[in-house]
DNA sequence: TTAATGGATTTTTTT
DNA sequence: AATCCATTAA
């Protein structure tokens, strides 16, 4: 509680703030945990706190470090602080974790395997490298799906494990092979002088293990602030710990109910355990919501109360914005009708309020298509966020590959890309020859030069590749004079890329040229900010879609993940069906389900005035017609918050009631006997999971196998090899539940994890 | 070497 | 339905 006498009530930095917000702003030294509910004025508090430190505590801006997850958040934070303080604050470090790490590595990188002049690999570069590795190890992509393999590698990296350190986790053959791939993949990155996204964190964390480096930065950053702390993974957590160790002035801000990046390695326990990490921490809860009306908040808190992974003893969100409108729900017969209905509602509210800002939110990107079709049919303008990103378009990537190779001649992935864009008659054969000609420790261009000298190539290839090589020679000398934008334009022309698109003379090519022009102006803009080529390239790879959302857009279509941190007067959430939302793959584990629920919570709390939910009874998914079941989250909505009870066909589907037995099982999706059986098993799973799991989470590895063994002499401990008639041979990863609910997670040798119930699965020791 | 064809496979979310 | 891949024809 802030005292009265000493309270400088009228301090401008405390203006219009409630009591806990003021307390947070004025907290100067020592660890601070700010639990900031949705819409609780978090950014205001953070920025004013930083300003307070500078203005009132006399802290030098250069000793402040603030970490965010998106560039947009970082920019906004910096701008707002700069407006609040009277001194120049340009020396503050306000950035995303990833750009912070990039900055550190560009300074200290000679201590890491990739040095200081690395390129940042984006997901498509990663994919082509891992494919190469898998081919080298003769691992078939069928079983070692590049995406799956990269996921596991990313998982290891997020937990700061290098290949040799992850060995003890590789109990089964599949993981062991992936580990070999991981090892080769890292070597490949090193040869390319490249970091993937995860490496940025990983190498920086390694760097900070060195007491000298750690002390240098730990001393420098006297005040550290981490936004969205609930989304930090192990690497980010350790990074923060290394730095905070020195001054203990660590302020973390977050909301465990909005933790939606578990699949990316985020560990919700980081925020849940903050007070254990820093026992002297002060905890402040921001519970006053300034965004939504009561009905919306009631629905949100009712939904989220079904989760067990929450901070203990946290209060509920409050609002002064009045009761507000009840939540609408629409069930359409078919997916197309659902989007048409939504479009109609948008048109109606547009008619009443032409400037209304509307968002349509969905679980997965594919769901945007139907909305787009319906909108286009009505000639309505919209902004689609996500999907194929600008910097990932083919033509843009082609151009970037030239720039990357100019910036870092070791980048073989980029070389491969641009050497045949536009086509220069280089196929796998020629490419193989070039790569074979690369001298030990040399660059691809040196390999190409050697091959050209040998005179092995003939005709078009020899001629074109000669010009190609010459291009890079000239780039070296002209780079400085041309400047960034000049260089981009020069490459576009001299490479013949622009010409080849012009020759195509199709509508598509025209669009690509436009994109390249847009890229050129982005380069010009960057140049005017005084940035150089390598910095431009960093920015491009680390740019996210969400960074470009104009809040001014009238109608936005985006995933819920993209919508985090945003607010809209009118929000539609579509596709509230089982297997869509909650997503089919997330439903398998209690943790996955809780994360889906948090996602729903995030979706609800985006709405300021009106929230509309919708679903479709039938829908085409991947070309086949599916019957859908209502999302279980619909049942968690309080009836008082809804305009009408939710009906699904003839059933009333509402809080506490559930679907009456007997009716739901008979109408299985697809209707076949296998599907019916599957559904029976699924609903069984669901019942099992409805029982709140008493935080079995922490105890998992040590305690779980024990009770299982007592119950059943045939129980399998993690690591046991088992055989299943349906899936083949695999290794037990974990066990959960007991008695009839005893369920194993099994990693099968052909790849892929499955959760199998001991009772049905027919697992044998194998 | 490249374009075209047919078949398999896919949809979770992203710095 | 739409994309991605591998094989085949030119």
């Amino acid at each position: 509680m802030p005292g009265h006498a000493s309270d400088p009530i009228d301090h401008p930095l405390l203006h219009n703030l409630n009591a806990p917000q003021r307390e947070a702003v004025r907290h100067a030294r020592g660890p601070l945990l700010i639990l900031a509910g949705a819409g609780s004025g978090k950014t205001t508090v953070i920025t004013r706190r930083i300003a307070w430190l500078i203005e009132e505590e006399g802290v030098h801006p250069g000793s402040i470090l603030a970490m965010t997850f998106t560039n947009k958040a970082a920019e906004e934070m910096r701008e707002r602080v700069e407006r609040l303080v009277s001194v120049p604050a340009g020396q503050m470090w306000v950035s995303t974790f990833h750009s912070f790490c990039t900055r550190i590595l560009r300074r200290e990188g000679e201590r890491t395997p990739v040095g200081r002049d690395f390129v940042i690999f984006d997901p498509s570069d990663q994919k082509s490298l891992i494919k190469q590795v898998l081919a080298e190890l003769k691992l078939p992509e069928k079983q070692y799906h590049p995406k799956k393999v990269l996921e596991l590698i990313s998982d290891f990296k997020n937990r700061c494990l290098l290949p040799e350190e992850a060995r003890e986790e590789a109990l089964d053959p599949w993981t062991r092979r992936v580990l070999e791939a991981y090892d080769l993949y890292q070597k490949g990155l090193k040869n390319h002088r490249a970091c993937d996204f995860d490496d940025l964190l990983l190498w920086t964390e390694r760097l900070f293990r060195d007491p000298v480096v750690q002390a240098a930065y730990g001393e420098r950053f006297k005040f550290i602030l981490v936004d969205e702390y609930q989304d930090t993974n192990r690497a980010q957590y350790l990074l923060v710990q290394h730095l905070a160790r020195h001054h203990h002035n660590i302020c973390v801000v977050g909301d465990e109910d909005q933790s939606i990046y578990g699949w990316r390695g985020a560990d919700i326990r980081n925020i849940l355990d903050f007070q254990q990490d820093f026992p002297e921490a002060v905890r402040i809860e921001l519970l006053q919501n300034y965004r939504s009306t009561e009905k919306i908040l009631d629905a949100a808190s009712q939904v989220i109360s079904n989760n067990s992974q929450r901070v203990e003893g946290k209060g509920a969100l409050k609002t002064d914005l009045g009761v507000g409108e009840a939540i609408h729900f629409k069930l359409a017969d078919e997916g197309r009708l659902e989007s048409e209905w939504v479009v109609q509602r948008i048109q109606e509210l547009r008619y009443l309020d032409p400037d209304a800002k509307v968002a349509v939110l969905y679980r997965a990107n594919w769901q945007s298509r139907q909305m787009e079709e319906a909108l286009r049919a009505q000639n309505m303008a919209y902004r689609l966020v996500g999907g194929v990103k600008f910097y990932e378009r083919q033509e843009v990537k082609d151009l970037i590959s030239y720039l990357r190779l100019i910036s870092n001649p070791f980048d073989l992935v980029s070389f491969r890309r641009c050497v045949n864009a536009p086509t220069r008659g280089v196929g796998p054969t020629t490419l193989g020859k070039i790569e074979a000609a690369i001298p030990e420790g040399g660059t691809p261009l040196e390999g190409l030069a050697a091959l050209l000298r040998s005179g092995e190539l003939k005709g078009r290839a020899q001629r074109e590749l000669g010009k190609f090589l010459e291009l890079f020679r000239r780039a070296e000398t002209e780079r400085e004079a041309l400047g960034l934008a000049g260089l981009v334009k020069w490459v576009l022309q001299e490479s013949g890329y622009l010409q080849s698109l012009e020759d195509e003379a199709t509508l598509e090519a025209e669009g690509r040229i436009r994109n390249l022009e847009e890229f050129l102006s982005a380069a010009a803009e960057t140049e005017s900010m005084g940035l150089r080529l390598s910095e431009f390239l960093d920015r491009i790879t680390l740019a996210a879609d969400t960074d470009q959302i104009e809040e001014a857009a009238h109608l936005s279509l985006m995933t819920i993940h993209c919508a985090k941190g945003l607010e809209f007067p009118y929000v539609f959430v579509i596709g509230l069906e089982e297997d869509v939302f909650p997503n089919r793959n997330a439903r398998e584990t209690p943790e996955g389900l809780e994360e889906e629920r948090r996602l729903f919570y995030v979706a609800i709390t985006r709405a300021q005035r009106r929230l509309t939910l919708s679903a479709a009874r039938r829908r085409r998914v991947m070309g086949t017609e599916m019957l859908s079941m209502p999302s279980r989250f619909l049942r968690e909505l309080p009836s008082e918050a809804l305009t009408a009870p939710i009906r699904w066909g003839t059933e009333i589907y509402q809080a506490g009631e559930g679907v009456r037995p007997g009716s739901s099982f008979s109408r299985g999706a697809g209707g076949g006997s296998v599907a019916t059986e599957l559904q029976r098993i699924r609903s069984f799973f669901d019942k099992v999971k409805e029982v709140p799991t008493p935080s079995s989470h922490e105890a998992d590895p040590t305690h779980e196998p024990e009770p299982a063994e007592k119950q059943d002499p045939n129980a399998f401990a993690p690591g046991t090899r088992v055989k299943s008639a349906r899936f083949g041979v695999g290794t037990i990863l974990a066990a959960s539940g007991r008695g009839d609910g005893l369920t194993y997670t099994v990693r099968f040798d052909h790849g892929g994890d499955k959760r199998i119930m001991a009772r049905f699965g027919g697992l044998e020791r194998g």
Side-chain angles (χ1 to χ4, degrees):
Chain A
M1 282 292 144
H4 291 290
S6 61
D7 226 13
I9 293 282
D10 281 331
H11 196 292
L13 287 175
L14 299 176
H15 237 223
N16 291 328
L17 295 188
N18 63 36
Q21 286 178 325
R22 286 170 175 234
E23 194 191 344
V25 169
R26 298 178 58 195
H27 176 100
R29 270 150 232 282
L32 174 64
L33 168 65
I34 302 178
L35 297 174
S40 62
K42 178 187 74 168
T43 312
T44 304
V45 169
I46 297 174
T47 51
R48 295 220 201 165
R49 193 179 114 78
I50 297 176
W52 183 271
L53 288 174
I54 295 173
E55 295 285 300
E56 294 301 310
E57 300 287 329
V59 175
H60 181 73
S63 55
I64 295 174
L65 171 65
M67 304 276 220
T68 65
F69 276 82
T70 65
N71 296 304
K72 190 176 164 232
E75 267 158 45
E76 186 186 356
M77 199 182 286
R78 171 180 293 281
E79 270 169 32
R80 285 174 66 167
V81 171
E82 282 179 344
R83 257 184 281 134
L84 290 171
V85 296
S86 53
V87 295
Q91 290 185 60
M92 278 185 309
W93 284 48
V94 183
S95 65
T96 65
F97 274 98
H98 293 268
S99 34
F100 170 79
C101 291
T102 308
R103 202 164 161 188
I104 299 287
L105 291 174
R106 293 262 182 247
R107 292 160 69 133
E108 315 283 346
E110 75 280 0
R111 297 151 176 274
T112 72
V114 289
R116 294 172 42 171
D117 293 312
F118 53 87
V119 267
I120 302 172
F121 265 20
D122 72 15
S124 66
D125 304 321
Q126 293 184 53
K127 200 171 156 205
S128 63
L129 179 57
I130 198 68
K131 282 181 139 185
Q132 207 181 312
V133 166
L134 292 173
E136 213 166 306
L137 288 173
K138 303 212 165 32
L139 297 175
E141 289 192 10
K142 266 274 168 56
Q143 284 169 53
Y144 296 85
H145 199 64
K147 220 176 83 192
K148 279 260 149 37
V149 174
L150 281 173
E151 256 166 37
L152 188 55
I153 291 177
S154 170
D155 222 57
F156 285 132
K157 290 186 174 186
N158 286 157
R159 287 156 52 211
C160 293
L161 294 173
L162 286 172
E164 56 273 17
E165 296 158 347
R167 266 209 210 112
E168 55 202 63
E169 302 216 8
L171 294 170
D172 59 295
W174 190 82
T175 311
R176 274 202 294 274
R177 302 312 301 273
V178 171
L179 217 49
E180 288 171 42
Y182 179 15
D183 195 38
L184 266 189
Y185 173 77
Q186 282 313 94
K187 295 199 165 100
L189 284 172
K190 193 178 154 189
N191 288 339
H192 286 80
R193 310 286 197 275
C195 284
D196 63 20
F197 286 154
D198 300 324
D199 281 342
L200 296 172
L201 304 174
L202 179 88
W203 293 132
T204 309
E205 194 276 329
R206 295 277 149 163
L207 213 51
F208 284 162
R209 289 187 194 182
D210 177 344
V212 178
V213 184
Q214 187 190 114
Y217 289 94
E219 287 303 324
R220 173 184 179 149
F221 298 118
K222 297 189 173 64
F223 292 84
I224 300 170
L225 188 140
V226 185
D227 191 14
E228 308 279 18
Y229 191 66
Q230 78 282 354
D231 287 334
T232 49
N233 61 32
R234 181 81 194 157
Q236 289 157 333
Y237 170 83
L238 287 174
L239 222 47
V240 171
Q241 297 292 318
H242 289 323
L243 292 171
R245 191 164 298 139
H246 296 259
H247 292 288
H248 272 227
N249 296 320
I250 165 83
C251 167
V252 304
V253 188
D255 179 1
E256 84 280 8
D257 292 335
Q258 295 186 65
S259 163
I260 53 175
Y261 286 103
W263 50 275
R264 212 169 69 189
D267 191 345
I268 191 168
R269 278 175 294 181
N270 289 159
I271 194 166
L272 298 180
D273 293 347
F274 184 78
Q275 288 174 289
Q276 269 133 266
D277 291 338
F278 295 95
E280 76 273 37
V282 171
R283 164 170 151 175
I284 296 175
E285 295 173 12
L286 304 181
L287 297 170
Q288 185 69 39
N289 173 294
Y290 298 99
R291 177 185 295 157
S292 316
T293 54
E294 274 172 38
K295 296 261 184 194
I296 291 168
L297 281 194
D298 285 350
S301 37
Q302 189 67 238
V303 165
I304 202 65
S305 70
N306 290 288
N307 268 10
S308 65
Q309 294 256 328
R310 305 185 71 197
V311 170
E312 266 172 56
K314 199 176 74 167
L317 283 179
K318 298 180 295 265
T319 180
D320 289 334
L321 298 179
V323 177
E325 204 175 314
I327 297 166
H328 302 259
F329 172 76
K330 167 71 181 181
L331 175 66
D333 274 335
E334 204 266 328
R336 194 171 50 86
L337 297 171
E338 181 193 16
S339 14
E340 284 168 4
W341 184 85
V342 169
V343 169
Q344 260 178 37
R345 297 284 84 69
I346 297 173
Q347 281 176 323
E348 280 169 19
L349 64 90
R350 260 303 137 63
Y351 180 76
L352 299 169
D353 178 1
D355 286 324
K357 307 267 189 303
V358 184
V360 178
L361 308 181
Y362 36 82
R363 175 65 243 262
N365 275 311
W366 59 265
Q367 295 177 65
S368 70
R369 179 173 301 151
Q370 222 155 32
M371 277 306 305
E372 288 187 81
E373 278 165 13
L375 286 165
R376 266 198 295 252
Q378 298 294 313
N379 266 325
M380 286 173 72
Y382 62 90
R383 165 170 294 263
L384 181 76
V385 184
V388 193
K389 296 164 200 155
F390 180 72
Y391 291 117
E392 277 169 22
R393 286 172 205 201
Q394 187 184 273
E395 63 278 14
V396 179
K397 284 228 65 177
D398 286 342
L399 175 56
I400 291 174
S401 67
Y402 279 93
L403 300 173
R404 295 221 306 204
L405 199 57
I406 290 171
S407 170
N408 168 11
F410 289 92
D411 187 346
L412 182 59
V413 167
S414 292
F415 175 83
R416 287 186 177 179
R417 185 168 190 119
C418 65
V419 75
N420 208 31
T423 55
R424 297 189 172 90
V426 178
T429 333
T430 318
L431 198 57
K433 282 185 197 159
I434 298 174
E435 282 175 34
I438 301 175
E440 188 68 25
T443 68
L445 287 172
E446 286 162 7
L448 174 59
L451 187 67
L452 286 173
R453 260 182 273 121
S454 77
E456 232 186 287
L457 298 178
K458 313 238 143 34
R460 176 154 104 113
Q462 174 83 18
R463 200 174 54 243
E464 295 288 331
L465 286 175
K467 272 161 59 185
F468 178 75
L469 189 61
E470 190 53 28
L471 173 88
F472 286 93
R473 292 232 174 91
R474 281 196 287 147
E476 213 43 57
T477 54
E478 307 215 12
R479 231 180 118 163
E480 292 302 320
L482 286 167
L484 183 49
L487 181 69
V488 172
K489 201 167 176 181
W490 183 82
V491 167
L492 230 31
Q493 253 140 25
E494 299 298 310
S495 64
Y497 195 88
L498 200 58
Q499 188 62 52
S500 76
L501 280 177
E502 279 164 1
D503 291 345
E504 258 187 67
T506 61
L507 214 61
E508 198 195 353
E510 208 178 292
R512 300 204 156 151
I513 293 172
R514 257 204 309 280
N515 284 335
L516 290 172
E517 280 164 356
E518 197 178 329
F519 184 89
L520 184 58
S521 55
E525 198 181 314
T526 312
E527 185 177 11
S528 70
M529 291 163 64
L531 296 188
R532 314 184 30 123
L533 177 58
S534 65
E535 293 161 319
F536 178 51
L537 293 174
D538 286 350
R539 275 172 86 88
I540 287 171
T541 351
L542 295 177
D545 287 344
T546 25
D547 297 340
Q548 295 141 37
I549 301 173
E550 295 160 33
E551 302 248 3
H554 274 193
L555 172 57
S556 310
L557 269 47
M558 65 185 101
T559 63
I560 300 165
H561 282 90
C562 274
K564 185 161 159 211
L566 305 176
E567 58 183 23
F568 307 88
Y570 302 95
V571 169
F572 292 82
V573 184
I574 63 174
L576 278 156
E577 299 137 38
E578 279 298 290
D579 290 359
V580 176
F581 193 12
N583 184 279
R584 172 179 249 290
N585 306 302
R587 192 191 46 189
E588 299 287 316
T589 69
E591 299 81 44
L593 203 55
E594 292 213 350
E595 182 151 317
E596 294 291 300
R597 189 174 284 112
R598 290 193 290 267
L599 203 48
F600 188 42
Y601 177 80
V602 169
I604 295 173
T605 53
R606 295 314 93 197
Q608 294 173 295
R609 304 182 37 192
R610 182 190 291 172
L611 174 65
T612 308
L613 310 174
S614 68
R617 217 122 77 88
R618 269 180 301 128
R619 161 185 314 282
R620 278 186 158 286
V621 181
M622 280 187 271
T624 45
E625 186 103 324
M626 303 283 275
L627 282 186
S628 30
M629 295 286 287
S631 167
R632 69 188 69 196
F633 298 145
L634 289 173
R635 200 171 48 192
E636 298 173 3
L637 295 166
S639 51
E640 308 82 56
L642 290 158
T643 52
I646 291 176
R647 285 173 197 283
W648 197 274
T650 54
E651 325 270 6
I652 295 205
Y653 196 75
Q654 199 131 83
E657 279 188 46
V659 183
R660 276 167 289 280
S663 51
S664 67
F665 296 154
S666 51
R667 58 174 80 184
S673 68
V674 178
T676 319
E677 172 67 6
L678 259 175
Q679 213 167 47
R680 263 198 24 237
I681 295 172
R682 273 182 207 149
S683 49
F684 181 78
F685 267 98
D686 293 343
K687 275 181 215 151
V688 170
K689 271 172 286 183
E690 293 304 336
V691 181
T693 40
S695 186
S696 61
H697 201 75
E698 320 267 310
D700 241 354
T702 40
H703 294 312
E704 281 297 350
E706 207 185 32
E709 223 117 47
K710 270 184 206 144
Q711 301 230 288
D712 180 356
N714 297 320
F716 307 122
T720 311
R721 302 279 292 157
V722 292
K723 210 163 66 196
S724 138
R726 272 187 70 197
F727 304 111
V729 191
T731 310
I732 300 281
L733 291 185
S736 65
R738 52 182 60 196
D740 284 350
L742 180 64
T743 306
Y744 293 109
T745 307
V746 186
R747 175 159 298 168
F748 288 98
D749 293 355
H750 67 261
D753 296 350
K754 294 250 164 1
R755 279 174 65 88
I756 293 183
M757 296 200 71
R759 206 156 64 109
F760 298 134
L763 290 177
E764 293 170 32
R765 227 169 266 275

